[in-house]
Every structure is written in C-alpha cells, then in structure tokens.
Amino acid sequence: MESPDLELYPFWEISSQLGFHYAFLEFNEKYGKVFGVFMFGQPVIVTSDTEMVREITVKSFSNFINHPSSALKNRPFDKGLFNLKGQKWKNTRSIITPTFSGSKIRKMSDLVNECCDLLVGNIQGDGCEAVDVSRFFEAFTLDGIARCAFGLQVDSQNNPNDPFITNAKKIIFGKTFQWKTMVAGLVPPLAHLMNFLDIKTVPPDVINFFSSVTEEAISMRENKSAAEYLNVSSGLSLRSSTPYPQDQKDFLRLMINAHKLRDNDTTGERKRAEDVTDVHNRLDEHHNTGYFLDTKKDNPQLTKEEIVGQGLFFFIAGYETTSTTLGFIAYSLATNPEVQDKLIQEVDEMAPDRDSVNYSSIAKMPYLDGVVCETLRLYPPAALTNRICNETFTCKDVTIPKGMHVLLAIFSIHYNPEFWPNPEDFDPERFSKERSEGRHPFAWMPFGAGPRHCIGMRFALMEIKMAIVRLLQKYRFETCSKSEVPVKLGTRNVKPEKGIVLSVIERK
C-alpha cells in the first residue's frame, strides 16, 4: 500500500462482529471516508467519498473498468455481465443495452401485472394476521423472473414442485455455492485444484437443466414454433406461457434478437427519444450510460452459452435483491402509517384498479418513487460494489496501486448525514424535486454507478412499484405482536435475519 497513513483491518473479523455495513460506518467516523481492510489476506481500499466514487466509476472508468476476478472458473456463470471484463464486457453490454431500455421494459408490464395477480391472490388466501411477507415476495419475484426472462408461466407459491422452481431454488438457496466460493477465496491453491477438477459451485444437473431449457426455447423461437412443452434433456418438461406467441417480449426473445435491436439503435438517440417520460432517466444523467452504445462488433450476436449465462445471472442478480426490497418497503409502510396513508391516497387517485397499473402510470407517481428510493437508501440490496485498478492511480491524495481491489461503500454513503440529515429516519420527501436539487448525484446509488451500473434497474423498479401499488389497492400493512421492530439485519448482507412478519389487513 503506497499511502502510509492508510491503516488496514481484517475484513471478516469486522463482518462477524457488527456486520461490515455498520462496521464501515464506524470506521468512517474514526478514520475518514477512505481506509483499508484485509480481505482474504489481500489489502483492499474502502471508500465512501462520493467524488472519489465518481472519479473511479465515471471520470476514470477505463482505469477501473473491471470487477475483481473470481478465483473459480464456473461456466456458464462466467458469461454473465458481472463477470465479463474489458472489451468483452463492453461488447456484450452494448449488445444487450437496447433490451433493457424503458421502451422494451414497458412492453413487459402486462407480464408483471399477471404475476401481481398471483401475489395479491396468494396473500389474500393466506388468512393469517401474522404473515411472513418475505415468502410471498420471494414467490412473486421468482414468478416474475420465469415469466419475463424465459417466457414461462409458473406459480411458485402453489406449484413448488414445478421443475423450473426446484432447479431455480437450487441456485438461489444452494449452500454449496457459498462454501465453495468462500474456500476458493481463502485458499487460492484450492481454487486452482477445483478448477482443474472442474468442480462447479452449482450442481451440473441444474446447469444442464437451464442450458437445455434455454436451447429449446431458442430453437422454438427461431423456428417460430408454438409448441406447448419444452422437452429437456433431464426428462422433465415445462409448460410455456401463452405458449410462446411471437410478439411476447420476454428477455430471452429480446436477447436472441439483440443484434437486430442494436442495428436500429447504435447511437442511443432512439432510446432517449422513446424514454423521454421515464422517471428514471435522471439516474442516467451523471453515469455516462452512453459509454457502450458506440461499440462496434463484426457479428453482434450472443452465443447460446452467453444467453444461458445472462439468464442465470438474472436469477442471481434479481431474485434476492427485488424480494428483499419489497419486504423492506412493506416493513417501512407498516412502521410509518402516515407515509402509508399518503401513498394509498396517491394510489387511489392515479392507479385505482388492476388495469390502470402499468409502466407509464407508476412513472407518474412521485410519492411512490420517493417511498421506493428511500427504502433503497436505508436498505440497499448491494451494500458494496467493487472495482479493480488497471494502472497505478492517484485520487484524493490516495495512491491506488495497479491490481488493487477497491470497495465502494454504498451503505456508508446512504447514511452520510452530509447528504441525508437524520439518516436513520424513513422520509420519502427526501426525494421530492425541491429537496433533491443540489444533492450530490452519487449520494444515492443502490444500483451501482457509472457504465457498469445495474443494467436491470428499470425492470427491477417497475416490478417493485407495480407489486406495491397492486397490494395497496386492496390491503394495508401493519405491525403485529410477532413483528420485529426495529428489524435486525444480517451481518453479511442487508437482509432481515428472521424474515418480515406483518399483518396484511384488507382495506375497507
């Protein structure tokens, strides 16, 4: 470490005692916005300085373009956007970017609304005053991924033995993924051995299942087939949604046709014109999101393995983050009834029934936006993001050596009273137009920052907002004797340790 005044602290000791997110808050007070820790025996710089974050993620992005490498070579996960590096990442992201534009996601709002039907019905049918809302939101999110990513109609709440559901849960809840990743990080020689033996973090039968599902689905779409079943190599079958109408806009279909979309949208001008009413456009203004739109590629198409990798990455990146955020929103509304009353009033005025809930209507609901943004500030699903330094670089009087791992402390930024007075209070009005003016653009970054920010941001926000609006049309959330207030977060992530138990009361 070239900065002699930068002290280092053991990361896992910090994490096990307080949870790294709270520990880093304390370190900010003691040692400032930039300090160091040891992670897997390696020195790491941690920063919550917003100007330094902007420098790393935007202004000097080419010097911090990559995330640190995983010790394990785990196909097809290594084909997911998060794990790609350099020009390969830029090429792939430029191909996929039009797929995630507001205009494309807007066309998926009907699919999300169908998943909301199941969510509303399942909560209504539970019939208990004390409800662990987390399990309903987990089922809703899984249904949404199946529907919008793969075009498959499943009901994970009522059909838990559906092969798609059982295989998806092996990825999401698999313990082997966690311990193998931990061992590989702590003992690099073992990672090399695991790679040599081709030991995967996810069971091979699960990878084969999703690979087969994707290949069959691609074949059906390319052949313009309207088959009712997907016959996969494992002998299982999945009933498709409508089945596979040619105009259905799921992500799989859009990725198959991504080269066609990009041919019509190489400059980004069309994207900006289509998304002019998108409430989330302001999030793009300071993040150089046009970085990859001018990338050229001789054959701008994704291979089948790359499409499988993106689909599996969709599970990992989208499942827990979305379902956990929905749980925290319900908790925040239950513990702040005056906020819930105001949001219900906006819902009744602007989206009073099922068919009025869509991409456009939720984009016109400012208080809903404030509730969601404030929840993501208090409980960011990704409390940290990271970069690797390509060449020795000096920023804010700190020299970052080549190869240094840099952690961007999102949680610490979100609790900085410099930007957020009384940061532990839940106050959606922070995101009103008047109070947002003049605030540092990197003071709120639950989806990361710069060209490598979360590509699924618009979809996640649409899914979250539609679910909350549909639920508040019929119900309100209240605390009960079994509710944990305040909610206790885990030490390894910003997630409730014991779920979120609330009363779901039908509105009169």
Side-chain angles (χ1 to χ4, degrees), residues 16-53:
S16 62
Q17 292 175 354
L18 291 174
F20 65 85
H21 31 285
Y22 287 125
F24 285 175
L25 279 177
E26 288 193 7
F27 277 26
N28 283 340
E29 295 179 3
K30 293 180 181 179
Y31 309 111
K33 296 180 180 178
V34 185
F35 55 87
V37 298
F38 278 107
M39 185 175 181
F40 294 136
Q42 298 297 317
V44 175
I45 291 176
V46 182
T47 180
S48 60
D49 184 291
T50 50
E51 275 305 309
M52 191 172 182
V53 169

Side-chain angles (χ1 to χ4, degrees), residues 79-367:
K79 302 295 183 181
L81 272 176
F82 185 88
N83 295 313
L84 295 179
K85 300 187 182 301
Q87 191 63 39
K88 180 60 178 176
W89 165 79
K90 188 175 181 181
N91 288 340
T92 304
R93 176 107 183 198
S94 70
I95 293 170
I96 298 177
T97 290
T99 300
F100 287 86
S101 69
S103 59
K104 303 300 184 297
I105 292 174
R106 182 181 290 110
K107 296 176 182 178
M108 296 186 190
S109 62
D110 287 344
L111 299 179
V112 175
N113 217 4
E114 291 175 10
C115 296
C116 290
D117 291 338
L118 297 175
L119 172 63
V120 173
N122 286 332
I123 283 187
Q124 184 179 32
D126 196 76
C128 299
E129 290 187 3
V131 176
D132 183 358
V133 295
S134 300
R135 64 186 178 91
F136 292 102
F137 292 138
E138 288 170 358
F140 164 74
T141 305
L142 192 53
D143 292 345
I145 291 173
R147 186 75 62 94
C148 295
F150 291 89
L152 301 173
Q153 181 172 332
V154 299
D155 181 356
S156 59
Q157 187 65 43
N158 297 317
N159 299 312
N161 295 322
D162 185 294
F164 187 90
I165 301 302
T166 57
N167 281 277
K169 288 184 175 180
K170 289 179 183 178
I171 295 177
I172 297 166
F173 301 113
K175 298 297 183 183
T176 57
F177 182 90
Q178 298 176 15
W179 75 258
K180 288 178 182 177
T181 303
M182 181 73 71
V183 167
L186 289 171
V187 189
L190 284 181
H192 296 303
L193 178 62
M194 293 166 71
N195 290 332
F196 177 76
L197 298 175
D198 197 26
I199 296 176
K200 301 183 183 302
T201 54
V202 174
D205 62 310
V206 177
I207 295 176
N208 291 337
F209 176 86
F210 282 102
S211 297
S212 298
V213 166
T214 303
E215 290 178 5
E216 292 280 349
I218 290 172
S219 177
M220 289 179 181
R221 286 160 168 80
E222 289 178 341
N223 297 327
K224 297 184 178 180
S225 169
E228 188 175 3
Y229 292 95
L230 291 174
N231 298 312
V232 298
S233 58
S234 63
L236 300 173
S237 63
L238 291 172
R239 184 181 297 273
S240 71
S241 56
T242 44
Y244 293 110
Q246 294 306 302
D247 60 347
Q248 179 168 302
K249 294 298 185 288
D250 54 77
F251 285 118
L252 184 57
R253 179 180 295 283
L254 291 174
M255 281 193 288
I256 293 170
N257 297 326
H259 62 292
K260 298 177 183 178
L261 296 174
R262 185 178 177 276
D263 288 343
N264 294 325
D265 194 15
T266 56
T267 65
E269 293 177 0
R270 180 178 174 184
K271 172 181 178 292
R272 287 190 291 272
E274 289 176 331
D275 297 343
V276 67
T277 60
D278 190 338
V279 71
H280 306 300
N281 276 352
R282 70 179 189 276
L283 301 178
D284 294 339
E285 294 175 1
H286 305 281
H287 292 272
N288 191 21
T289 52
Y291 173 84
F292 23 75
L293 291 176
D294 294 328
T295 301
K296 303 296 182 183
K297 190 178 179 184
D298 294 336
N299 185 28
Q301 298 186 51
L302 299 177
T303 66
K304 289 183 179 179
E305 187 178 36
E306 288 172 335
I307 293 176
V308 172
Q310 305 315 319
L312 293 177
F313 174 70
F314 196 97
F315 276 115
I316 296 173
Y319 171 78
E320 190 170 74
T321 54
T322 300
S323 61
T324 301
T325 298
L326 282 166
F328 279 129
I329 292 174
Y331 167 82
S332 299
L333 294 176
T335 53
N336 296 274
E338 72 287 351
V339 171
Q340 184 167 201
D341 290 340
K342 187 171 181 179
L343 180 55
I344 286 175
Q345 182 179 353
E346 183 178 71
V347 168
D348 290 348
E349 291 176 358
M350 305 188 70
D353 54 50
R354 179 205 186 274
D355 293 336
S356 63
V357 182
N358 53 51
Y359 188 96
S360 297
S361 64
I362 61 174
K364 298 173 183 176
M365 301 174 68
Y367 199 70

